[in-house]
Amino acid sequence: EHDHTIPLTSSSPSDKTESLTLADFYSGHSRNIPPLQWWIIAPAFSHQLFLHSESRGKEAAGLAIATSTDIHAHKDSVSASEMMKTPEYKRLIDKSAVSFFGKEENSLAAIGHARLVTNGLQGIDANNQPICRKSIVLVHNGIVVNVDELWEKNPHLERTSDVDSDFIAAILHDYFEKGFDTHQAISETFDQVYGETSIAYFTANKNELVLATNTGSLYWCEDESGDTLFFASEKMICEKLLDKVSAFSDFDVSDCKQISANSGAVISLEDLSKQNFIFSKKLAAPAVESLLAIQKRIDDKSRRIDEARNQIKRCTKCLLPETVPFIQFDKEGVCTGCSSYTPWQAKPKEDLVALLARYRSSDGSPDSIVAFSGGRDSSMGLHLMKKEMGMNPITFTYDWGMVTDLARRNQARLCGKLGVEHIWVSANIKMKRANIRRNVAAWLKRPDLGLVPLFMAGDKQALYYANKLMDESKIPLMAFCANHYEKTEFKTGFLGISSKKMTIHKPSSLPMVGKLSMLAKYGMSFMRNPAYFNRSMPDTLGAFFSFYAIKQDYFSLFDYLPWDEKEIEKTLIEEYDWELSPDTDTSWRIGDGTAPFYNYIYYTVAGFTESDTFRSNQIREGVLSREEAMALVDHENLPRWQSIRDYLQMINIDFDETIRTIDRIPKLYYN
């Protein structure tokens, strides 16, 4: 069902249940504004909030409107901008108008949600937001990573949907039934949930709105008269709204305030009076496998080594095989990569300390941004920035449709425990996945290793949005957390381009001749396979521009700090219950839905993957012996069948036919 109504004044609210979730809020009352004028400007205000909030999710949307007598809710499995065009949405506005004009003195409030799907199919309305749970109408941003465990611990609660937000609404209602006040109920709830969580809700027996967050991902702004206020999940949304809606001239963008991590506010909808409160997180991370148990699981796993791969000639110092583009061996069997390798030199840590000191805030306000993919490097980078370097970062994720649910859960663990605000920029995921499908389908018609990177073109706009976020937030310091072992020049090598000198992790530093050469190579490949001339072309060109053309004004944290794989895994697992993937032994690339597929292609056709180049660089730096590295890649290169199936299902490509096509490609290691 799309629609739901709860009478606020009823002493026994409806038992009909439904699920909803959080993004943005607008509230006011009519002490000083005539009701008719109020009703004209309020929907326009909510309309703009919805449009600005779509950057956080376009897969579903919903709205709940509360007056002094009723709460009306509506949700749909479409974007907010599409939902606002529907007759059902207009009927919601009409029903709310009847409630609003039913009393001479009345209040008006709304909470809305633009959803990025993490768990629970958006096609099932119970999984979308807002959430109506008996007396609770709630919206929620974030991920509760221990939600299954919480349902098991509370068998008396009825689970009505697949989303984690359902538990929050259920436990809050349960606490209120037991006589808890708002502060007690919120504190007890946040003590149980593990992950990043920000909520806003109405209750049927109280004319109030409650806001609470454990990450600080809530901002609110009040006009000078104190008659109106609104909130949003990002400061930039508030600022954009105030720039757009000139009718509210009494608002001052400088008055936009953050609800800090582990705190909240109760807002009366009668007079907009506010009671702030602080809650403390007491829950420790759940117990996890010890590192020894994890290592034993790795050691006990069967070691399947492909016979053909064993026959490839490899460098006698590192692991790189003869199938790597442009590789050559000397008479001792050492590859050109090893013979010309210059040991990596970290920049002085003192330079990093000095850099951060120039930007560190003295009042706890955000002073830096951490690009946050959910992988191990960005997770460790966030930990170091917050706990070791004493910064007050916010995090930024660009979701192009291939950020895995596992990565999202790990992000929630870090942000929730560290109390760090998490900003999401969501692409049009349906369009992005359609573009991936078009390029994969074109590739399967004429397989070419040089064009495999097209599958990942959709994520390159992350650099554009990173720059945009720095401009909008007025935070000029952004950290990326890739490490210096991650060099994959072989990808452009298969396109016919030899390695060019560029500043590591800054593709825009590639010389212009290299960029033009790359465009020419792609152009010739496209001419050989016209199927690439499809509707994904604008997105692909935008990706090239974002990756190679725009200025990348950020610093790499691990240019200054040591990168120790064992220490990173130990820290993340022991301190944050960081989750590993069940289908691989490695902790690398498990947050990227595309990696298992393209690495399977490289492994099948060329006999090596990104793991071989990664481990080879570790050998050159003296971090691993050749024997240790070979043992690792024997496991890491095993096909991740379930992840490959999930990827192909997401982009609507037939699994069996795709694998058959890849297996038929002539191998580079056969004569």
Side-chain angles (χ1 to χ4, degrees), residues 36 127 152 209 232 292 313 345 369 389 392 435 457 481 487 490 555 559 648:
L36 182 58
N127 293 330
E152 291 177 5
L209 170 85
L292 289 177
K313 178 182 178 181
Q345 291 292 327
I369 305 171
M389 307 308 297
N392 299 289
N435 287 340
C481 304
K487 299 178 182 179
F490 71 86
F555 76 97
D559 281 354
L648 293 173

PDB file of all heavy atoms in Angstrom, residues 36 127 152 209 232 292 313 345 369 389 392 435 457 481 487 490 555 559 648:
ATOM      1  N   LEU A  36      -3.956  30.203   4.609  1.00  0.00           N
ATOM      2  CA  LEU A  36      -3.956  30.069   3.157  1.00  0.00           C
ATOM      3  C   LEU A  36      -2.565  30.348   2.591  1.00  0.00           C
ATOM      4  O   LEU A  36      -2.050  29.601   1.748  1.00  0.00           O
ATOM      5  CB  LEU A  36      -4.979  31.024   2.539  1.00  0.00           C
ATOM      6  CG  LEU A  36      -5.112  30.928   1.004  1.00  0.00           C
ATOM      7  CD1 LEU A  36      -5.502  29.509   0.607  1.00  0.00           C
ATOM      8  CD2 LEU A  36      -6.143  31.937   0.495  1.00  0.00           C
ATOM      9  N   ASN A 127       9.221  -1.712   2.190  1.00  0.00           N
ATOM     10  CA  ASN A 127      10.650  -1.477   2.354  1.00  0.00           C
ATOM     11  C   ASN A 127      11.050  -0.020   2.132  1.00  0.00           C
ATOM     12  O   ASN A 127      12.216   0.326   2.316  1.00  0.00           O
ATOM     13  CB  ASN A 127      11.450  -2.363   1.385  1.00  0.00           C
ATOM     14  CG  ASN A 127      11.335  -3.833   1.727  1.00  0.00           C
ATOM     15  OD1 ASN A 127      11.164  -4.192   2.884  1.00  0.00           O
ATOM     16  ND2 ASN A 127      11.412  -4.682   0.714  1.00  0.00           N
ATOM     17  N   GLU A 152      16.729 -11.205  16.434  1.00  0.00           N
ATOM     18  CA  GLU A 152      16.813 -12.466  17.190  1.00  0.00           C
ATOM     19  C   GLU A 152      16.775 -12.219  18.691  1.00  0.00           C
ATOM     20  O   GLU A 152      16.203 -13.005  19.455  1.00  0.00           O
ATOM     21  CB  GLU A 152      18.095 -13.211  16.807  1.00  0.00           C
ATOM     22  CG  GLU A 152      18.095 -13.765  15.389  1.00  0.00           C
ATOM     23  CD  GLU A 152      19.413 -14.440  15.032  1.00  0.00           C
ATOM     24  OE1 GLU A 152      20.271 -14.548  15.934  1.00  0.00           O
ATOM     25  OE2 GLU A 152      19.570 -14.848  13.872  1.00  0.00           O
ATOM     26  N   LEU A 209       8.233  16.461  16.881  1.00  0.00           N
ATOM     27  CA  LEU A 209       9.189  15.809  15.994  1.00  0.00           C
ATOM     28  C   LEU A 209      10.453  15.549  16.788  1.00  0.00           C
ATOM     29  O   LEU A 209      10.907  16.409  17.554  1.00  0.00           O
ATOM     30  CB  LEU A 209       9.517  16.705  14.799  1.00  0.00           C
ATOM     31  CG  LEU A 209      10.697  16.217  13.944  1.00  0.00           C
ATOM     32  CD1 LEU A 209      10.223  15.206  12.915  1.00  0.00           C
ATOM     33  CD2 LEU A 209      11.402  17.366  13.259  1.00  0.00           C
ATOM     34  N   ALA A 232      17.721  18.994   7.122  1.00  0.00           N
ATOM     35  CA  ALA A 232      18.169  18.139   6.021  1.00  0.00           C
ATOM     36  C   ALA A 232      19.354  17.313   6.498  1.00  0.00           C
ATOM     37  O   ALA A 232      19.934  17.571   7.553  1.00  0.00           O
ATOM     38  CB  ALA A 232      18.555  18.984   4.802  1.00  0.00           C
ATOM     39  N   LEU A 292      43.757 -15.245  14.016  1.00  0.00           N
ATOM     40  CA  LEU A 292      44.297 -16.598  13.849  1.00  0.00           C
ATOM     41  C   LEU A 292      43.255 -17.515  13.208  1.00  0.00           C
ATOM     42  O   LEU A 292      43.593 -18.349  12.363  1.00  0.00           O
ATOM     43  CB  LEU A 292      44.724 -17.158  15.211  1.00  0.00           C
ATOM     44  CG  LEU A 292      45.965 -16.520  15.834  1.00  0.00           C
ATOM     45  CD1 LEU A 292      46.228 -17.116  17.216  1.00  0.00           C
ATOM     46  CD2 LEU A 292      47.183 -16.740  14.937  1.00  0.00           C
ATOM     47  N   LYS A 313      55.616 -18.183 -18.320  1.00  0.00           N
ATOM     48  CA  LYS A 313      56.920 -17.681 -17.883  1.00  0.00           C
ATOM     49  C   LYS A 313      56.718 -16.439 -17.032  1.00  0.00           C
ATOM     50  O   LYS A 313      56.020 -15.507 -17.422  1.00  0.00           O
ATOM     51  CB  LYS A 313      57.792 -17.344 -19.095  1.00  0.00           C
ATOM     52  CG  LYS A 313      59.155 -16.763 -18.727  1.00  0.00           C
ATOM     53  CD  LYS A 313      59.952 -16.393 -19.964  1.00  0.00           C
ATOM     54  CE  LYS A 313      61.299 -15.766 -19.597  1.00  0.00           C
ATOM     55  NZ  LYS A 313      62.077 -15.389 -20.805  1.00  0.00           N
ATOM     56  N   GLN A 345      59.517   6.185  -1.777  1.00  0.00           N
ATOM     57  CA  GLN A 345      59.931   6.970  -0.619  1.00  0.00           C
ATOM     58  C   GLN A 345      58.732   7.749  -0.086  1.00  0.00           C
ATOM     59  O   GLN A 345      58.127   8.542  -0.807  1.00  0.00           O
ATOM     60  CB  GLN A 345      61.048   7.952  -1.004  1.00  0.00           C
ATOM     61  CG  GLN A 345      62.375   7.297  -1.350  1.00  0.00           C
ATOM     62  CD  GLN A 345      63.036   6.653  -0.131  1.00  0.00           C
ATOM     63  OE1 GLN A 345      62.913   7.142   0.993  1.00  0.00           O
ATOM     64  NE2 GLN A 345      63.745   5.558  -0.373  1.00  0.00           N
ATOM     65  N   ILE A 369      37.712  16.338   4.434  1.00  0.00           N
ATOM     66  CA  ILE A 369      36.827  15.354   3.807  1.00  0.00           C
ATOM     67  C   ILE A 369      37.654  14.120   3.472  1.00  0.00           C
ATOM     68  O   ILE A 369      38.774  14.243   2.972  1.00  0.00           O
ATOM     69  CB  ILE A 369      36.192  15.909   2.518  1.00  0.00           C
ATOM     70  CG1 ILE A 369      35.471  17.232   2.794  1.00  0.00           C
ATOM     71  CG2 ILE A 369      35.225  14.904   1.907  1.00  0.00           C
ATOM     72  CD1 ILE A 369      35.016  17.945   1.522  1.00  0.00           C
ATOM     73  N   MET A 389      45.281  11.356  13.807  1.00  0.00           N
ATOM     74  CA  MET A 389      45.714  12.698  13.414  1.00  0.00           C
ATOM     75  C   MET A 389      44.881  13.805  14.048  1.00  0.00           C
ATOM     76  O   MET A 389      45.179  14.986  13.866  1.00  0.00           O
ATOM     77  CB  MET A 389      45.690  12.845  11.889  1.00  0.00           C
ATOM     78  CG  MET A 389      46.464  11.755  11.138  1.00  0.00           C
ATOM     79  SD  MET A 389      48.168  11.524  11.725  1.00  0.00           S
ATOM     80  CE  MET A 389      48.901  13.116  11.350  1.00  0.00           C
ATOM     81  N   ASN A 392      38.724  16.365  12.263  1.00  0.00           N
ATOM     82  CA  ASN A 392      37.268  16.235  12.386  1.00  0.00           C
ATOM     83  C   ASN A 392      36.676  16.093  10.984  1.00  0.00           C
ATOM     84  O   ASN A 392      36.051  17.020  10.455  1.00  0.00           O
ATOM     85  CB  ASN A 392      36.689  17.461  13.081  1.00  0.00           C
ATOM     86  CG  ASN A 392      37.235  17.631  14.478  1.00  0.00           C
ATOM     87  OD1 ASN A 392      36.911  16.864  15.377  1.00  0.00           O
ATOM     88  ND2 ASN A 392      38.078  18.632  14.659  1.00  0.00           N
ATOM     89  N   ASN A 435      23.982   1.581 -18.687  1.00  0.00           N
ATOM     90  CA  ASN A 435      25.175   1.900 -19.476  1.00  0.00           C
ATOM     91  C   ASN A 435      26.233   0.809 -19.355  1.00  0.00           C
ATOM     92  O   ASN A 435      26.904   0.471 -20.339  1.00  0.00           O
ATOM     93  CB  ASN A 435      25.756   3.239 -19.024  1.00  0.00           C
ATOM     94  CG  ASN A 435      24.918   4.417 -19.483  1.00  0.00           C
ATOM     95  OD1 ASN A 435      24.128   4.295 -20.419  1.00  0.00           O
ATOM     96  ND2 ASN A 435      25.087   5.553 -18.834  1.00  0.00           N
ATOM     97  N   ALA A 457      33.866   2.840 -16.235  1.00  0.00           N
ATOM     98  CA  ALA A 457      33.842   4.263 -16.577  1.00  0.00           C
ATOM     99  C   ALA A 457      32.870   5.047 -15.699  1.00  0.00           C
ATOM    100  O   ALA A 457      33.098   6.214 -15.373  1.00  0.00           O
ATOM    101  CB  ALA A 457      33.473   4.446 -18.049  1.00  0.00           C
ATOM    102  N   CYS A 481      42.799   7.816  -0.111  1.00  0.00           N
ATOM    103  CA  CYS A 481      43.557   6.878   0.721  1.00  0.00           C
ATOM    104  C   CYS A 481      44.075   5.662  -0.038  1.00  0.00           C
ATOM    105  O   CYS A 481      44.291   4.599   0.560  1.00  0.00           O
ATOM    106  CB  CYS A 481      42.700   6.432   1.905  1.00  0.00           C
ATOM    107  SG  CYS A 481      42.092   7.797   2.912  1.00  0.00           S
ATOM    108  N   LYS A 487      49.211  -0.202  -8.652  1.00  0.00           N
ATOM    109  CA  LYS A 487      49.559   0.304  -9.982  1.00  0.00           C
ATOM    110  C   LYS A 487      49.101  -0.722 -11.011  1.00  0.00           C
ATOM    111  O   LYS A 487      49.526  -1.871 -10.969  1.00  0.00           O
ATOM    112  CB  LYS A 487      51.065   0.543 -10.095  1.00  0.00           C
ATOM    113  CG  LYS A 487      51.613   1.578  -9.115  1.00  0.00           C
ATOM    114  CD  LYS A 487      53.122   1.720  -9.269  1.00  0.00           C
ATOM    115  CE  LYS A 487      53.701   2.706  -8.268  1.00  0.00           C
ATOM    116  NZ  LYS A 487      55.177   2.822  -8.393  1.00  0.00           N
ATOM    117  N   PHE A 490      48.906  -2.159 -16.692  1.00  0.00           N
ATOM    118  CA  PHE A 490      48.622  -3.170 -17.713  1.00  0.00           C
ATOM    119  C   PHE A 490      47.271  -2.940 -18.384  1.00  0.00           C
ATOM    120  O   PHE A 490      47.046  -3.374 -19.517  1.00  0.00           O
ATOM    121  CB  PHE A 490      48.680  -4.578 -17.104  1.00  0.00           C
ATOM    122  CG  PHE A 490      47.540  -4.921 -16.175  1.00  0.00           C
ATOM    123  CD1 PHE A 490      46.347  -5.437 -16.654  1.00  0.00           C
ATOM    124  CD2 PHE A 490      47.676  -4.747 -14.804  1.00  0.00           C
ATOM    125  CE1 PHE A 490      45.309  -5.770 -15.800  1.00  0.00           C
ATOM    126  CE2 PHE A 490      46.651  -5.066 -13.941  1.00  0.00           C
ATOM    127  CZ  PHE A 490      45.466  -5.580 -14.433  1.00  0.00           C
ATOM    128  N   PHE A 555      45.024  15.380  -1.307  1.00  0.00           N
ATOM    129  CA  PHE A 555      46.282  14.741  -0.948  1.00  0.00           C
ATOM    130  C   PHE A 555      46.030  13.264  -0.649  1.00  0.00           C
ATOM    131  O   PHE A 555      44.915  12.872  -0.290  1.00  0.00           O
ATOM    132  CB  PHE A 555      46.938  15.434   0.252  1.00  0.00           C
ATOM    133  CG  PHE A 555      46.309  15.117   1.584  1.00  0.00           C
ATOM    134  CD1 PHE A 555      46.845  14.136   2.408  1.00  0.00           C
ATOM    135  CD2 PHE A 555      45.186  15.803   2.030  1.00  0.00           C
ATOM    136  CE1 PHE A 555      46.274  13.841   3.636  1.00  0.00           C
ATOM    137  CE2 PHE A 555      44.608  15.524   3.251  1.00  0.00           C
ATOM    138  CZ  PHE A 555      45.162  14.535   4.062  1.00  0.00           C
ATOM    139  N   ASP A 559      50.677   8.638   1.164  1.00  0.00           N
ATOM    140  CA  ASP A 559      51.949   9.172   0.686  1.00  0.00           C
ATOM    141  C   ASP A 559      52.844   9.543   1.857  1.00  0.00           C
ATOM    142  O   ASP A 559      54.067   9.672   1.705  1.00  0.00           O
ATOM    143  CB  ASP A 559      51.724  10.417  -0.176  1.00  0.00           C
ATOM    144  CG  ASP A 559      51.275  10.065  -1.587  1.00  0.00           C
ATOM    145  OD1 ASP A 559      51.241   8.864  -1.922  1.00  0.00           O
ATOM    146  OD2 ASP A 559      50.947  10.989  -2.349  1.00  0.00           O
ATOM    147  N   LEU A 648      26.386  -9.675 -12.833  1.00  0.00           N
ATOM    148  CA  LEU A 648      25.710  -9.861 -14.115  1.00  0.00           C
ATOM    149  C   LEU A 648      24.192  -9.780 -13.968  1.00  0.00           C
ATOM    150  O   LEU A 648      23.494  -9.300 -14.862  1.00  0.00           O
ATOM    151  CB  LEU A 648      26.122 -11.197 -14.737  1.00  0.00           C
ATOM    152  CG  LEU A 648      27.597 -11.270 -15.158  1.00  0.00           C
ATOM    153  CD1 LEU A 648      27.964 -12.685 -15.597  1.00  0.00           C
ATOM    154  CD2 LEU A 648      27.900 -10.273 -16.275  1.00  0.00           C
TER     155      LEU A 648
END
